[in-house]
Amino acid sequence: MRQKADGLAQTLSRYRKTTPRALVLCHNQSLQSKCNLRDILCSTHAILFFGTPHSGVEDVTLLEEINRLASLNMQTTNIILKDLRSHSSELENLQKLYLAASEKITSIFFCAEYQTSPSVKRQRLLVPQHSATIDGDRNGMPIHLHADHQNMIRFPSAENENYKAVLYYLEAFMKEACSTVQEKWVIEDRHRDAPKGDSSSSEVILPKRRPPVSRNYIKRAEIQDLITQKLLPGPSFRLQPRCILHGMGGAGKTQLATKWIEEHKKSFTRIIVVDASSQAELEADLQRSIRSVGPEYAKMTWEDSVAYLDRKEKGWLLFFDNADLLDLNLYPYLPNSSHGTILITTRNRECTVHAPDGAILVSSLKEHEAVELLHQVAGMSPVSNKQSIDIVTELGMLALAVAQAGAYIRKTRRLDTYLGTFREHRDSLMRDQPVQTADYESSIYAAFDLSFHQLSSKAQDFIKLCSFLHHSLIPAALFEYSSRSKFTAAIVLDCFPPPESDSVLISGLEKILGEIWDGFAFQKSIDSASQASFIQVSSDGICYTLHPLLQTYIKDSLDEKEHDHYARMTAQLLLGAIQSTEGDTELLWQLYPHIRGIPTHIQSENIAHALAFHAFYNFMNDWEPCRELLESALSQVQSSQNQIERIQLIDRLANIEFKCGQLADAEKRQREVLSFYCKVHGPCHVDTISALSSLATTLHQQNRLDEAEQMDRQVLDLRPKILGQCHPETMSAMSNLAIILCERGNLEEAEKMHRQVLNLRLETLEQCDLCTVAAMSNLATTLCERGNLEEAEKMHRKVLELRLEILGQRHPGTISAMSDLATTLFKRGHLEEAEKMDRQVLGLRLEILGQRNMSTVSAMSVDTRTREVRGKTSL
């Protein structure tokens, strides 16, 4: 076992002065050493195994052949080969002895990546991966060296990758070697010095060791700099320095803390580690810390430890790790002396009360950090990061989840298939116990379990409900608005009321949020979820965020029936909020990503819900889901029954098809609607006239201006007689005709009609009404066409100002107003301002509509035109 590996001489040279008993290096270990195994290990800190055949080799014949070739240059023996066959009883006995004797020894297993063979015809791994490790050892994951068995301990230079890999582990072990071996020999020497039969000798109490820094640690410079600012603030800081790393399980808080301590341990006289996962462990570790000071403190308690730190000792760092319990009161355990420093890691956000100015939220990794961690754990360096980015994005960049994925990829060696496997077997992959190393003690789902099951049943139900919303920017107003509407869907058409089955969903929501809205009670649920770091509350308190992987954890924990129930309850919650918005445009925009995430089959499973969601999408100018919902609703109405209701749905669908650009389909449906109303109501009925107006608009869009103008004049002739001159629909008819006249070059009549519409709108409506703003926009466009650019610019600026105020910057109507103003500015020669506005329009359309949308393409061409003209002008 103590035989030195010849090729490691260069690697070990820098450690000659280190305690010689700290490390054992093994290559092709000797079976004769088993008799003295326990004595050898008693002073050992770590063992590195290089290609050791713990379970034998696959083909002893191959080994014999290699041995014969080697005998040409050196003295060899065949004695050991007899016990190196696979499943050898001698090897099994030796491994059992090792496992029993090495419980506190860190073992690292290196295996060869390449085959070893004297003959090209018979290539294979001499020591396969499973044999290069010891079954049952907690550190059983092997490290692959890019070499064959013969060359895995031969390093040509200090730049060799294998040399660097071995050196990394040697450096890590040597940092801890002296103190670790000293601890072992203090205990061993005391036992040897004790008189025979005397069991009353005092026990040596050693301080608790720090959690080790992961070998796969990824530097998070920003957070570590913040820790330094909090814990080493400088001489002018008079209070006790405290830092509290808080965040959800699996975010890497303990690793950040231990890495920082490792780098700054020289700044402290003593580092005291306390496991705060339970009150009993916490008190035991504090008691252990005082008793480790010396024999005179052998009977001291944890209270004495706190007092000792407060009064006698200076320069200490007290590290409370995993202070996660929601009911744990840390106050009695915290010394207040300014001569010491406190570092806490916790999932319990309430712990930040102990140092609000020292709190640091630890959340997801940054993308490059997550990719680096994935590659490091997986042991690969792909040429492209695309697949890796997709993986870490799906995992929400959570450190433990990324590490688990890396460990699985390391086993399969397949980065390209991981996402498919993850999506199909996500629950199993996230719940599987990771390989037992010092890095991680539990799976990511197990980490979530610890906090989730501490919550009250109402808080758990609330988080389950939120898990079916989009993970970010969940508006707090959603729950209040929906509650005030009794969680009921709006009735869009009287003939299609909400189904009776809604009562079951409403009852479920009332159990979670209350039958009557109670903001104080609701805040308790938020506080409970936030305390466990399951929900992040924005600084202004108006929205919440859940980690996406936490949402998948919740969904995976539900059976099929529960999953369906909570998905439908979430849809019902959103329907109630839609009904209660009362023109709150900002909230509707906030609800958009959450409603978009509800599966289409749930949104459209009954006509009332489909119409309510359709009305929402219609307001948001998102036509495709509108069309899908109306098609579903129409399919649920029998053609032989409810003819009026069916025609109403066809009319709405035709309007959406028009907005989707499906003009032929829209025209076909509109002619069917017009024909039906002519037969049922006659040509002068308001429904018939509305159908005629819609058809005229579609024909206009198809550039069939003669037919469109004829129909619009017919509509304008009938509407004042039936509805009056000042009726909104009469004004709409005037506006439609004016637009056609403008396009046909009859600008004078068009301007006159647009002015008449605007005056009527201003008489009957407020200036900030959207219909008034639309009339103003139409007139401004006509003025621009006529060359009255100064008045057109002034009016376009007013339109933009009003739409920004009413609709917000991201609404399509606002973006169109910006585009119209930019066009007028371009015509006036204000090219710099026009280009700036064109770029803003293009940016918004790319962000909201995407690159392929026709409005975006149009914005691209306009932006190019403006820049080209500016370029010519500057020349």
Side-chain angles (χ1 to χ4, degrees):
M1 288 288 282
R2 292 203 177 215
Q3 175 187 356
K4 186 177 79 173
D6 296 335
L8 291 173
Q10 57 177 312
T11 316
L12 288 170
S13 61
R14 70 179 67 186
Y15 298 116
R16 291 296 186 193
K17 297 180 181 180
T18 306
T19 305
R21 295 180 295 188
L23 189 69
V24 174
L25 299 167
C26 302
H27 183 61
N28 297 330
Q29 66 186 84
S30 171
L31 298 176
Q32 281 79 14
S33 61
K34 65 180 181 181
C35 59
N36 200 30
L37 188 60
R38 187 175 296 277
D39 288 341
I40 291 173
L41 295 180
C42 69
S43 63
T44 301
H45 168 46
I47 298 181
L48 274 61
F49 290 99
F50 291 81
T52 307
H54 300 286
S55 301
V57 296
E58 294 292 338
D59 190 348
V60 175
T61 305
L62 176 62
L63 194 60
E64 290 171 344
E65 191 174 342
I66 295 173
N67 199 43
R68 283 195 300 273
L69 288 174
S71 67
L72 297 176
N73 298 314
M74 65 182 75
Q75 185 177 355
T76 62
T77 178
N78 285 321
I79 297 174
I80 198 173
L81 296 183
K82 67 182 180 64
D83 290 320
L84 283 180
R85 296 185 183 277
S86 182
H87 306 300
S88 161
S89 60
E90 284 293 328
L91 285 175
E92 289 179 3
N93 291 335
L94 183 59
Q95 305 326 318
K96 288 177 182 178
L97 285 171
Y98 176 81
L99 284 174
S102 64
E103 183 179 352
K104 296 183 179 180
I105 304 297
T106 299
S107 304
I108 296 296
F109 303 95
F110 293 92
C111 67
E113 183 175 2
Y114 306 135
Q115 296 91 345
T116 301
S117 174
S119 170
V120 177
K121 297 179 180 179
R122 302 181 60 191
Q123 286 194 345
R124 66 185 66 193
L125 281 175
L126 185 60
V127 181
Q129 177 176 319
H130 71 85
S131 185
T133 63
I134 296 177
D135 188 26
D137 189 274
R138 66 188 185 284
N139 303 304
M141 173 67 79
I143 308 299
H144 288 79
L145 294 180
H146 307 305
D148 60 20
H149 185 77
Q150 289 178 298
N151 295 304
M152 65 186 300
I153 57 171
R154 302 178 189 278
F155 312 127
S157 71
E159 299 303 316
N160 180 264
E161 287 188 12
N162 293 341
Y163 173 84
K164 291 180 179 178
V166 175
L167 183 62
Y168 172 85
Y169 293 105
L170 285 172
E171 288 177 336
F173 288 142
M174 291 306 176
K175 286 180 182 178
E176 300 288 337
C178 292
S179 60
T180 302
V181 175
Q182 184 180 4
E183 289 176 11
K184 292 184 177 184
W185 277 103
V186 166
I187 297 172
E188 182 69 17
D189 291 342
R190 183 169 293 277
H191 282 300
R192 289 176 178 176
D193 293 341
K196 290 184 178 180
D198 181 9
S199 60
S200 63
S201 58
S202 60
E203 181 186 0
V204 176
I205 304 296
L206 298 172
K208 190 182 188 74
R209 294 180 63 189
R210 298 194 304 274
V213 178
S214 169
R215 300 188 185 99
N216 297 311
Y217 181 81
I218 299 299
K219 187 174 182 180
R220 301 171 75 173
E222 185 177 336
I223 297 179
Q224 293 209 211
D225 288 346
L226 285 173
I227 299 174
T228 304
Q229 292 173 25
K230 307 296 184 186
L231 296 185
L232 300 173
S236 61
F237 193 78
R238 299 302 179 189
L239 300 175
Q240 181 191 74
R242 290 183 178 180
C243 178
I244 302 174
L245 302 177
H246 65 100
M248 66 190 301
K253 301 179 293 295
T254 296
Q255 283 297 304
L256 279 164
T258 52
K259 180 64 175 177
W260 188 89
I261 292 172
E262 173 65 31
E263 292 180 350
H264 296 85
K265 58 187 176 184
K266 292 183 180 178
S267 301
F268 305 98
T269 57
R270 187 160 69 109
I271 297 169
I272 303 155
V273 179
V274 174
D275 179 357
S277 59
S278 71
Q279 187 172 349
E281 288 284 348
L282 187 157
E283 293 177 358
D285 285 347
L286 279 175
Q287 179 174 285
R288 179 179 180 175
S289 73
I290 184 68
R291 294 186 179 186
S292 68
V293 174
E296 66 271 30
Y297 296 94
K299 295 185 179 181
M300 294 294 183
T301 65
W302 69 264
E303 291 96 335
D304 298 316
S305 178
V306 176
Y308 181 83
L309 296 175
D310 251 336
R311 298 169 189 168
K312 290 190 177 183
E313 194 170 357
K314 296 182 179 180
W316 45 265
L317 170 65
L318 181 55
F319 173 33
F320 290 94
D321 192 25
N322 296 321
D324 302 328
L325 294 178
L326 300 183
D327 57 353
L328 177 64
N329 180 15
L330 272 182
Y331 276 113
Y333 308 106
L334 300 179
N336 293 307
S337 169
S338 60
H339 298 303
T341 303
I342 293 177
L343 174 60
I344 301 171
T345 65
T346 179
R347 300 177 195 178
N348 182 357
R349 190 183 61 86
E350 289 301 304
C351 271
T352 59
V353 71
H354 300 300
D357 58 335
I360 299 175
L361 174 63
V362 180
S363 54
S364 300
L365 297 165
K366 294 180 179 178
E367 184 181 279
H368 73 276
E369 296 170 340
V371 170
E372 184 181 353
L373 176 60
L374 181 73
H375 292 170
Q376 190 159 305
V377 178
M380 57 176 59
S381 301
V383 176
S384 170
N385 284 344
K386 183 180 184 307
Q387 290 179 330
S388 302
I389 290 172
D390 291 342
I391 291 171
V392 299
T393 300
E394 185 118 352
L395 296 171
M397 316 286 180
L398 201 61
L400 177 52
V402 173
Q404 275 189 255
Y408 183 84
I409 292 168
R410 189 180 193 106
K411 287 192 298 182
T412 63
R413 312 307 299 167
R414 292 295 301 273
L415 183 75
D416 57 325
T417 61
Y418 179 79
L419 265 186
T421 304
F422 174 77
R423 288 165 181 165
E424 187 174 353
H425 304 286
R426 183 178 58 214
D427 185 59
S428 296
L429 285 174
M430 293 292 97
R431 286 200 180 277
D432 281 350
Q433 189 77 6
V435 175
Q436 289 298 308
T437 69
D439 300 353
Y440 305 106
E441 297 179 356
S442 62
S443 69
I444 186 63
Y445 275 12
F448 289 161
D449 283 339
L450 291 173
S451 299
F452 187 72
H453 293 301
Q454 291 187 57
L455 299 174
S456 66
S457 59
K458 181 173 285 190
Q460 289 183 19
D461 287 341
F462 176 73
I463 294 176
K464 289 175 184 176
L465 191 65
C466 292
S467 294
F468 289 87
L469 296 166
H470 190 270
H471 71 273
S472 65
L473 301 178
I474 301 172
L478 159 64
F479 305 97
E480 180 177 359
Y481 273 57
S482 189
S483 179
R484 294 193 185 283
S485 71
K486 303 297 182 183
F487 308 111
T488 57
I491 299 176
V492 177
L493 294 176
D494 292 336
C495 49
F496 298 117
E500 293 182 4
S501 58
D502 282 6
S503 61
V504 177
L505 302 173
I506 291 171
S507 176
L509 289 168
E510 288 175 343
K511 287 179 181 178
I512 300 172
L513 300 171
E515 296 182 16
I516 300 174
W517 176 251
D518 184 342
F520 183 77
F522 175 73
Q523 189 59 43
K524 282 188 175 181
S525 294
I526 294 296
D527 290 343
S528 180
S530 174
Q531 183 181 1
S533 295
F534 279 142
I535 284 181
Q536 297 297 326
V537 183
S538 63
S539 57
D540 54 13
I542 64 173
C543 61
Y544 316 123
T545 297
L546 279 73
H547 194 278
L549 197 58
L550 173 63
Q551 289 186 309
T552 64
Y553 156 77
I554 297 295
K555 292 176 183 177
D556 287 343
S557 67
L558 302 174
D559 61 34
E560 186 176 349
K561 184 177 180 181
E562 288 179 309
H563 189 284
D564 184 71
H565 179 65
Y566 278 99
R568 281 176 165 74
M569 270 207 301
T570 305
Q572 192 71 41
L573 174 75
L574 291 164
L575 285 168
I578 293 171
Q579 180 181 351
S580 187
T581 50
E582 297 176 356
D584 189 339
T585 305
E586 184 177 356
L587 178 61
L588 287 174
W589 276 104
Q590 291 171 354
L591 294 180
Y592 179 76
H594 306 289
I595 292 175
R596 207 70 173 90
I598 299 296
T600 303
H601 75 273
I602 291 180
Q603 294 190 38
S604 62
E605 65 184 352
N606 65 73
I607 297 176
H609 288 188
L611 289 175
F613 281 121
H614 152 262
F616 169 81
Y617 288 121
N618 190 42
F619 177 83
M620 305 304 293
N621 292 338
D622 192 353
W623 314 126
E624 191 57 33
C626 279
R627 184 185 60 78
E628 292 177 2
L629 289 166
L630 287 174
E631 285 179 345
S632 175
L634 187 59
S635 69
Q636 296 178 52
V637 179
Q638 297 295 326
S639 59
S640 59
Q641 302 173 348
N642 304 319
Q643 281 298 300
I644 294 291
E645 292 85 350
R646 180 175 171 274
I647 287 298
Q648 288 177 327
L649 291 177
I650 291 174
D651 190 20
R652 287 173 179 269
L653 180 55
N655 180 45
I656 296 302
E657 287 175 334
F658 171 83
K659 292 175 178 177
C660 287
Q662 299 170 348
L663 301 180
D665 293 336
E667 180 187 349
K668 182 179 178 180
R669 294 189 192 276
Q670 286 167 343
R671 289 192 182 278
E672 181 182 355
V673 171
L674 179 59
S675 176
F676 177 84
Y677 282 141
C678 281
K679 290 178 182 178
V680 175
H681 300 308
C684 296
H685 192 274
V686 290
D687 289 342
T688 309
I689 299 170
S690 293
L692 185 64
S693 177
S694 297
L695 179 56
T697 302
T698 301
L699 294 172
H700 175 195
Q701 192 67 23
Q702 291 174 301
N703 207 32
R704 292 153 66 178
L705 299 182
D706 287 341
E707 293 177 83
E709 181 182 347
Q710 183 182 356
M711 287 186 182
D712 275 333
R713 289 191 182 278
Q714 188 178 353
V715 170
L716 185 57
D717 181 56
L718 291 169
R719 274 187 173 161
K721 297 175 183 177
I722 301 171
L723 302 173
Q725 186 71 27
C726 295
H727 193 277
E729 291 190 15
T730 302
M731 287 185 270
S732 293
M734 294 173 64
S735 180
N736 290 340
L737 180 57
I739 291 171
I740 289 180
L741 291 172
C742 182
E743 290 185 16
R744 303 198 73 183
N746 195 345
L747 298 179
E748 185 176 354
E749 186 179 358
E751 178 187 343
K752 180 180 178 181
M753 198 167 288
H754 277 312
R755 288 191 184 279
Q756 186 179 358
V757 171
L758 179 57
N759 290 333
L760 288 170
R761 295 286 192 194
L762 288 170
E763 289 176 10
T764 55
L765 300 170
E766 297 290 336
Q767 186 184 40
C768 60
D769 186 272
L770 286 174
C771 292
T772 306
V773 177
M776 197 179 298
S777 177
N778 290 334
L779 176 56
T781 299
T782 303
L783 290 170
C784 185
E785 289 293 320
R786 292 202 71 188
N788 192 347
L789 299 179
E790 185 176 354
E791 186 180 0
E793 179 189 342
K794 183 178 179 181
M795 199 164 288
H796 274 313
R797 289 190 185 277
K798 187 64 177 178
V799 170
L800 178 57
E801 176 188 338
L802 290 169
R803 283 186 174 164
L804 280 168
E805 180 182 343
I806 301 167
L807 302 174
Q809 187 181 33
R810 293 169 59 86
H811 192 278
T814 307
I815 300 172
S816 294
M818 294 171 65
S819 179
D820 291 341
L821 176 57
T823 298
T824 303
L825 290 169
F826 176 81
K827 289 184 176 181
R828 292 201 71 188
H830 299 166
L831 301 183
E832 185 176 353
E833 186 179 1
E835 181 183 359
K836 182 179 178 182
M837 196 158 287
D838 279 334
R839 287 185 178 277
Q840 195 173 358
V841 169
L842 178 57
L844 287 167
R845 283 184 171 160
L846 280 169
E847 181 183 348
I848 298 169
L849 302 175
Q851 190 172 11
R852 297 188 178 185
N853 186 277
M854 290 306 299
S855 297
T856 307
V857 175
S858 175
M860 288 178 180
S861 62
V862 169
D863 179 56
T864 302
R865 174 207 64 187
T866 307
R867 284 188 286 110
E868 286 178 351
V869 172
R870 280 202 72 197
K872 291 176 183 178
T873 303
S874 63
L875 292 174

